[in-house]
Each structure stands twice: as structure tokens, then as C-alpha cells.
């Protein structure tokens, strides 16, 4: 099969079109012929080596963390899917590789694609959809009538999170540039804050929740806008020991994660608000619930642009530039 790979870790590594064996499948696996994949910030972070101590990657390494495709083959224990099914999903972080013609993925990490989406549209959903779902529902436990600040609302995760928060019934404030204003309002945002000209903490306060997708100074300042019993979750801040435990990682990652998050945990303690880091987990059942929302017309994907598999390097550079509005998609030809 054809795949886009890197030979080693490094920000300077260029994705190369490579011929590799089609992956074999285990008893609980599904072999998916990939129709489309999406590009996410985690892809260049994996390439850079940010997760080298946490996950077991081998080289040449196929990048890519979510996809949509057609079931080509199933293992003997697979009961959820049959050959020919249209599926989408986010593979386990130890088994990434969706910038390719095929992937072997555990059946529990898959769901049937929404019937009202193309394969390219479906590929835009798994990683951002599950991230927003687990942040808003599992950690923040967002409720109708509450106020939430969602950072970077025009991005892939942000556009999904705004729609999900509005479905829940929350009041949504979001940060974006002037170029993203129309999009975030179209997604349902109640309050747009131009992060280039305004400091969000001077505009809002006494909020119930913050969903941070930016990290750094933005994350630290976010504690200022919360109620005393408010909640904050970040996907871009430093990982925590609890996150390492949730992923079943060993002693060294636990120690390193604990050290990495020491400063932000100290800041959180000063405000009396826990710091939650979300390392999203694959979950086919949650993805099925997301499918229902999409088929019900409640949530729709937002696609910035598409690239063919052979131009995956250009696609990842576009995402890395942080100029994308919504998702960047890679289309895959199987011949």
C-alpha cells in the first residue's frame, strides 16, 4: 500500500510517499480501506517527537490520527461491522497511521459513518468530535444555562465544540481572529472576542467553564474568568500525572508529566480551581452518539480545504501555520 511516512522524529522531517505492506489484523481488528483522513495538530507533534516516551512508534512512521473508509476485512471476533460498511474512527495512539491506503483498527474504536456525510466530511469528525465530547460532557459536565469560554473557536476542535455546547444549551463565548468571526457566529457562538485586539479576561468573567485549545499564556489567563467553582480543561496545556495514569503509561511518563504540569497546577491552586488535561481516548460508542447528532442536523463538519495523499506534507504545513478554519482533509486513492 501507499503511505506518507517519516524516517525519524524531527520538526524538519518531510513526509515521503512510501510503499509498505498492507497491515495484518488481529482477532478484534477491522481492516479499513481509507477514503479520507484529516490532519490535526497532534500529527506534527508526533512527527516532532513530543510523545516518543508515551507511545510506541516504529519507523518508517505513518502519520495520521483519524479517518473514514470502507471495511475490507474483519477479524474472527468482530461483531460490530461487516465487509463493505462505511466506518470512521480514531485509532489507538499506539496504532496511528491514517495517511495511508489501509489501516488495522480495533472494532471498539470505530463507528458507522453518518449517512448524510461524504467520506471527506466524515473524516473531519473523529478526533475533534471525541475531543470536544469528552471535554464538555465527561470533564466539564456542561449543563443548560451555563456559560463557557471556548478558545480558538474557528479551529477544528473549536467549531465542533461550539455546536456541541449550543446543543447542550450553554451560552458560548469564543476567541478567534477577525477572519474567523463570521464562522464562529455561524456555528452558534453568542459572543465573539477578537484575541488580536481584546484580552478575553477584560471582556468576560464569572463563567462556569473554559475549554482551552491554545495553551501557554492563554491557558494561565483563563482561570481569571471562572467562578470560584468553575471548571477548566485543556488539550494544549502540559499533560498531568493523572493523564498518564488514564493512558496506562509507565513510571517515567508519569514523572515527566507531573514535572511538566507543576507550574500550571500551582496557578490552578492559587485560583482554587482544578487543572484538567485531556488526552482524548478513542471511543466508538461515543462516536456513535456523535453520529446521531450529525444525522439529526445538530452538528456539521467544517472543512477548510483538501489535499491528495501525495500532498500530505503541504496539508500538515497548512495546519501547522494555524491559518486553517475548520478541518484540513487528505483524500486517499486505493489504486
Amino acid at each position: 500500500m501507499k503511505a506518507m511516512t517519516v524516517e525519524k522524529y524531527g520538526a524538519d522531517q518531510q513526509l515521503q510517499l512510501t510503499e509498505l505492506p498492507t497491515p495484518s489484523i488481529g482477532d478484534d481488528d477491522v481492516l479499513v480501506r481509507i477514503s479520507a483522513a484529516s490532519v490535526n495538530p497532534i500529527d506534527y507533534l508526533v512527527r516532532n517527537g513530543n510523545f516518543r516516551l508515551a507511545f510506541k512508534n516504529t519507523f518508517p512512521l505513518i502519520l495520521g490520527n483519524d479517518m473514514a473508509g470502507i471495511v475490507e476485512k474483519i477479524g474472527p471476533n468482530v461483531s460490530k461491522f461487516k465487509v463493505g460498511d462505511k466506518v470512521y474512527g480514531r485509532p489507538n495512539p499506539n496504532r496511528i497511521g491514517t495517511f495511508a491506503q489501509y489501516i488495522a483498527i480495533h472494532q471498539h474504536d470505530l463507528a458507522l459513518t453518518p449517512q448524510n456525510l461524504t467520506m471527506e466530511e466524515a473524516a473531519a469528525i473523529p478526533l475533534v468530535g471525541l475531543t470536544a465530547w469528552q471535554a464538555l460532557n465527561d470533564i466539564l459536565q456542561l449543563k443548560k444555562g451555563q456559560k463557557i469560554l471556548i478558545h480558538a473557536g474557528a479551529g477544528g476542535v473549536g467549531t465542533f465544540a461550539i455546536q456541541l455546547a449550543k446543543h447542550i444549551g450553554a451560552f458560548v463565548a469564543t476567541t478567534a481572529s477577525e477572519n474567523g468571526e463570521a464562522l464562529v457566529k455561524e456555528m452558534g457562538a453568542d459572543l465573539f472576542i477578537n484575541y488580536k485586539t481584546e484580552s478575553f479576561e477584560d471582556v468576560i468573567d464569572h463563567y462556569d467553564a473554559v475549554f482551552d485549545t491554545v495553551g501557554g499564556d492563554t491557558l494561565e489567563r483563563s482561570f481569571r474568568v471562572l467562578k470560584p467553582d468553575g471548571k477548566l480543561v485543556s488539550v494544549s496545556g502540559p499533560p498531568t500525572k493523572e493523564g498518564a495514569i488514564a493512558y496506562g503509561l509507565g513510571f517515567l511518563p508519569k514523572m515527566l508529566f507531573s514535572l511538566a504540569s507543576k507550574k500550571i497546577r500551582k496557578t490552578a491552586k492559587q485560583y482554587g480551581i482544578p487543572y484538567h488535561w485531556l488526552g482524548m481516548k478513542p471511543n466508538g460508542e461515543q462516536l456513535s452518539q456523535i453520529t446521531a447528532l450529525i444525522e439529526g442536523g445538530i452538528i456539521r463538519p467544517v472543512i477548510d480545504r483538501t489535499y491528495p495523499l501525495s500532498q500530505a506534507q503541504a496539508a500538515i504545513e497548512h495546519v501547522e501555520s494555524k491559518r486553517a478554519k475548520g478541518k484540513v482533509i487528505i483524500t486517499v486513492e486505493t489504486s
Side-chain angles (χ1 to χ4, degrees):
M1 69 172 184
K2 294 181 175 66
M4 294 298 289
T5 66
V6 291
E7 292 295 326
K8 61 181 181 179
Y9 291 126
D12 61 340
Q13 291 301 297
Q14 299 281 306
L15 284 162
Q16 303 292 331
L17 190 62
T18 309
E19 286 284 345
L20 293 172
T22 301
S24 58
I25 61 173
D27 291 349
D28 295 288
D29 289 344
V30 174
L31 181 67
V32 179
R33 175 162 45 91
I34 298 173
S35 301
S38 83
V39 186
N40 300 279
I42 193 174
D43 297 316
Y44 59 76
L45 295 176
V46 169
R47 176 206 63 195
N48 294 355
N50 290 38
F51 304 104
R52 70 179 75 193
L53 294 177
F55 303 118
K56 303 171 184 176
N57 296 318
T58 58
F59 295 94
L61 173 61
I62 308 172
L63 296 182
N65 281 270
D66 59 0
M67 58 83 220
I70 299 172
V71 174
E72 187 89 355
K73 186 178 179 181
I74 61 174
N77 294 341
V78 173
S79 57
K80 293 177 175 290
F81 307 100
K82 63 182 185 300
V83 173
D85 280 346
K86 295 180 179 180
V87 295
Y88 67 158
R90 190 271 199 260
N92 184 286
N94 285 311
R95 303 180 68 183
I96 65 169
T98 62
F99 297 173
Q101 292 178 314
Y102 295 92
I103 190 170
I105 183 170
H106 197 286
Q107 63 173 331
H108 292 159
D109 299 339
L110 289 170
L112 295 173
T113 60
Q115 295 183 13
N116 56 338
L117 296 187
T118 66
M119 291 301 237
E120 289 80 11
E121 291 171 330
I125 295 295
L127 190 142
V128 298
L130 288 169
T131 298
W133 184 278
Q134 291 172 20
L136 270 58
N137 289 323
D138 297 348
I139 298 178
L140 296 177
Q141 298 177 332
L142 191 66
K143 295 177 175 61
K144 181 178 180 180
Q146 291 187 324
K147 292 183 176 182
I148 183 172
L149 169 62
I150 298 172
H151 284 298
V157 174
T159 51
F160 193 103
I162 291 171
Q163 295 177 84
L164 180 58
K166 291 307 299 177
H167 171 64
I168 292 170
F171 179 95
V172 179
T174 190
T175 58
S177 70
E178 62 275 9
N179 293 331
E181 180 177 2
L183 176 59
V184 299
K185 289 181 177 178
E186 183 184 346
M187 294 297 99
D190 299 289
L191 177 63
F192 161 72
I193 302 170
N194 187 333
Y195 73 88
K196 290 186 176 180
T197 61
E198 300 175 288
S199 296
F200 62 86
E201 68 270 33
D202 293 335
V203 178
I204 62 172
D205 64 5
H206 217 58
Y207 266 50
D208 299 283
V210 172
F211 181 22
D212 168 56
T213 64
V214 178
D217 177 63
T218 297
L219 168 58
E220 294 181 13
R221 290 157 48 211
S222 292
F223 288 99
R224 304 177 193 174
V225 308
L226 286 167
K227 294 178 177 180
D229 60 347
K231 296 180 180 180
L232 178 148
V233 62
S234 177
V235 294
S236 298
T240 60
K241 178 182 177 181
E242 292 74 17
I245 293 171
Y247 261 109
L249 303 180
F251 172 77
L252 184 57
K254 290 177 187 177
M255 182 181 69
L256 293 175
F257 283 15
S258 181
L259 290 172
S261 61
K262 183 177 180 180
K263 180 183 177 183
I264 193 64
R265 287 187 287 109
K266 182 179 179 181
T267 300
K269 187 175 181 180
Q270 290 172 350
Y271 286 93
I273 295 169
Y275 167 64
H276 295 281
W277 174 77
L278 172 61
M280 185 274 289
K281 284 190 171 184
N283 190 312
E285 290 299 321
Q286 290 181 344
L287 198 53
S288 293
Q289 294 179 69
I290 290 169
T291 297
L293 295 181
I294 294 170
E295 291 181 341
I298 295 166
I299 291 177
R300 66 175 178 86
V302 177
I303 295 178
D304 180 273
R305 63 184 67 178
T306 62
Y307 294 82
L309 180 64
S310 61
Q311 294 180 24
Q313 176 63 33
I316 208 168
E317 288 174 0
H318 182 53
V319 171
E320 199 166 7
S321 75
K322 303 186 187 303
R323 292 193 298 267
K325 299 293 182 284
K327 294 307 297 293
V328 172
I329 304 299
I330 292 173
T331 56
V332 182
E333 297 291 338
T334 55
S335 59

